[in-house]
Amino acid sequence: MNIELKSLKSAAKYKVIYPVIILIIIDIAIIFGILTIGNNLYLKYLNLQDEKDDVSKLRSRVVLVRNNKEIFNGRVDEYNNILTKLIPDEESYFSVISALETLAARTGVTITSYTINLKETTEEKLTLSLSISGESQAITKLLREYMYSSGRLLTNDETSISITEQGNLSISFNFFHKEFKDAVSPATVITEKDIEFINEVSSKL
Amino acid sequence: MKQRRINLFSLTLKKFDFVTAAKKVQFSMIIVLLVLLLTLGLTAVINNYLDQELAAIDKSKKPPAQYFQSNADFDKKIKYFIYKYSLLKDYLKQDAQAYDYFLKLQSHILKVSPGAQIISFTVDNVGQTQFNVRFPNFDEATVFITALETPEFIEPFEYLKLSAFDVASKKVTNFELTIEGKFIK
């Protein structure tokens, strides 16, 4: 130990070692500085990439909005009203009764009874089992037009038609409702075909 | 006899030329310092470039953001439309489309057997179907059974299965077939 100390003391006699030590300290300090700056630059680069992505997404959304404006041609409220009629945000007893009455009036059938099918009914679907009577033409019309004729969207999971029992039909209809949730992908493109379809549905209401 | 000892450390120090070694290290450190300064300069350039890019991006972000902001109400309406329209499409898939399938089946059967009559017809929303067909005579029934196996008749179905052939129900002159199958959706 004494020998090492002695050696160092003798080494210190050489003044040339001081600038070396200072240079080493400066180098180390700069290395730390570069590492810190490098890290910051990396973070800045990531931020830049994020910003570029944001701008790219924003631009494509703007293009979509422009395209959609052209496609909707100022009729977006009208189409939304149609869709709200078909699939309301909430279910109401009066809406269902009104839909059944409209369906009967438009097709010419008589709805003799209806019951709620609890087994098939879900949070967003009300399933009613209906007993219907009427002339075969009226029943045919009902089978052809039930989807939109009531003013609501009606679907039927399974249909049984018995020709021998003309004048009577047992059928289940599903009434749908679901509240709007703002979780739609902004990249969804609406096409002319979709608008044509909505116009076609609108004509059947 | 006195044992001789060698002090290796003192021997090294004596022989090691500190001045030359220190100058070599100093030179290396200066080179390292220069490299580091160059690197530092490069980081400054990169930093400047990134700042400029960020500023440019920020500037280019404003017009679309403003456009988007001014059309936020329309965008919300579009989202509503897309949401409900997607629901409509999904719910429509749950429909059995019985009327369309009935017409399709009726015309399909009448092509093969003009005297045939569909007595009952069931179809669900996956296209699974069962139907009863009545024939006025045995010959027409057999012609229909033969046609059941032809590719033309099977075309709209995934499969078809003759599940019952009622020869003597109700009247001897009436022949009824019960067929199960699945429509191609």
Side-chain angles (χ1 to χ4, degrees):
Chain A
M1 186 66 190
N2 286 336
I3 296 164
E4 283 175 14
L5 204 64
K6 263 185 186 177
S7 308
L8 283 171
K9 276 177 183 175
S10 60
K13 284 177 188 172
Y14 299 100
K15 289 182 180 173
V16 76
I17 206 163
Y18 298 122
V20 172
I21 291 165
I22 291 165
L23 276 171
I24 289 170
I25 291 166
I26 291 169
D27 283 354
I28 289 169
I30 292 175
I31 287 169
F32 275 109
I34 288 171
L35 287 174
T36 313
I37 293 167
N39 186 47
N40 286 338
L41 284 182
Y42 178 67
L43 293 174
K44 206 177 259 187
Y45 171 75
L46 291 179
N47 185 28
L48 181 69
Q49 293 305 315
D50 287 347
E51 288 284 307
K52 276 183 179 173
D53 283 350
D54 283 353
V55 169
S56 171
K57 281 177 190 167
L58 208 58
R59 278 184 183 154
S60 41
R61 281 185 78 182
V62 165
V63 171
L64 275 174
V65 169
R66 277 190 185 138
N67 287 347
N68 286 338
K69 269 195 165 183
E70 276 177 33
I71 288 170
F72 278 99
N73 198 21
R75 294 178 69 185
V76 66
D77 288 327
E78 186 190 327
Y79 294 138
N80 282 347
N81 285 338
I82 292 166
L83 289 168
T84 310
K85 272 185 197 170
L86 291 170
I87 308 160
D89 285 353
E90 288 173 0
E91 193 56 276
S92 90
Y93 175 77
F94 296 105
S95 168
V96 172
I97 296 299
S98 166
L100 291 178
E101 280 177 1
T102 311
L103 183 70
R106 283 194 182 171
T107 56
V109 298
T110 306
I111 297 166
T112 48
S113 69
Y114 61 86
T115 51
I116 297 172
N117 185 336
L118 290 172
K119 197 180 167 189
E120 295 295 326
T121 298
T122 64
E123 198 182 341
E124 60 186 78
K125 183 182 83 175
L126 172 72
T127 304
L128 293 184
S129 300
L130 285 87
S131 293
I132 287 166
S133 66
E135 291 177 11
S136 65
Q137 277 182 334
I139 288 177
T140 306
K141 197 177 180 191
L142 172 88
L143 289 170
R144 196 172 59 223
E145 297 174 4
Y146 66 80
M147 261 194 222
Y148 306 111
S149 267
S150 70
R152 291 276 303 264
L153 172 70
L154 296 186
T155 65
N156 164 248
D157 296 339
E158 186 179 314
T159 308
S160 289
I161 304 165
S162 181
I163 310 298
T164 50
E165 290 172 23
Q166 277 184 356
N168 289 309
L169 179 74
S170 293
I171 194 164
S172 287
F173 285 134
N174 302 317
F175 291 74
F176 297 95
H177 67 278
K178 197 168 186 182
E179 198 177 356
F180 167 62
K181 282 173 192 159
D182 192 357
V184 181
S185 163
T188 312
V189 182
I190 296 143
T191 61
E192 292 281 357
K193 211 176 166 185
D194 298 323
I195 299 298
E196 276 172 26
F197 179 72
I198 283 289
N199 282 329
E200 192 190 323
V201 169
S202 171
S203 68
K204 291 176 183 171
L205 285 174
Chain B
M1 193 175 168
K2 197 179 176 184
Q3 198 178 356
R4 292 179 69 186
R5 289 179 183 170
I6 302 166
N7 187 341
L8 285 170
F9 194 69
S10 62
L11 200 70
T12 315
L13 274 176
K14 275 174 194 170
K15 285 188 177 177
F16 194 76
D17 187 351
F18 256 108
V19 179
T20 317
K23 279 185 178 173
K24 278 182 183 174
V25 174
Q26 189 179 354
F27 180 73
S28 306
M29 286 300 113
I30 288 167
I31 298 293
V32 170
L33 183 65
L34 286 173
V35 171
L36 289 174
L37 286 173
L38 270 175
T39 313
L40 207 60
L42 192 69
T43 54
V45 171
I46 294 170
N47 185 48
N48 186 41
Y49 168 77
L50 289 175
D51 282 344
Q52 280 180 355
E53 282 285 299
L54 275 169
I57 286 281
D58 197 44
K59 203 177 172 183
S60 67
K61 205 177 177 180
K62 275 178 188 169
Q66 278 170 353
Y67 179 86
F68 203 71
Q69 209 171 8
S70 62
N71 287 283
D73 189 43
F74 180 77
D75 190 56
K76 200 176 173 184
K77 285 174 183 174
I78 291 290
K79 281 182 178 174
Y80 185 89
F81 176 88
I82 293 165
Y83 184 79
K84 292 277 176 173
Y85 185 68
S86 307
L87 288 178
L88 176 66
K89 286 279 186 183
D90 287 345
Y91 295 151
L92 284 175
K93 283 178 196 163
Q94 296 176 26
D95 188 70
Q97 295 174 300
Y99 187 73
D100 294 341
Y101 281 124
F102 181 78
L103 288 185
K104 193 188 269 188
L105 182 71
Q106 200 174 36
S107 70
H108 205 60
I109 288 172
L110 289 177
K111 271 184 211 166
V112 179
S113 178
Q117 190 192 359
I118 300 170
I119 302 302
S120 67
F121 171 70
T122 303
V123 66
D124 65 14
N125 53 11
V126 292
Q128 204 77 38
T129 184
Q130 188 184 50
F131 51 91
N132 283 61
V133 191
R134 185 180 288 167
F135 299 91
N137 53 59
F138 184 77
D139 290 341
E140 223 172 297
T142 48
V143 167
F144 184 80
I145 290 168
T146 314
L148 268 179
E149 292 169 4
T150 61
E152 292 80 24
F153 195 87
I154 296 169
E155 201 189 347
F157 302 96
E158 278 184 24
Y159 72 91
L160 270 182
K161 194 169 73 180
L162 180 65
S163 52
F165 183 21
D166 189 0
V167 181
S169 67
K170 298 170 189 171
K171 293 177 183 176
V172 183
T173 51
N174 281 337
F175 301 93
E176 280 184 28
L177 295 179
T178 305
I179 298 158
E180 286 175 27
K182 192 178 179 185
F183 285 104
I184 295 170
K185 281 232 134 189

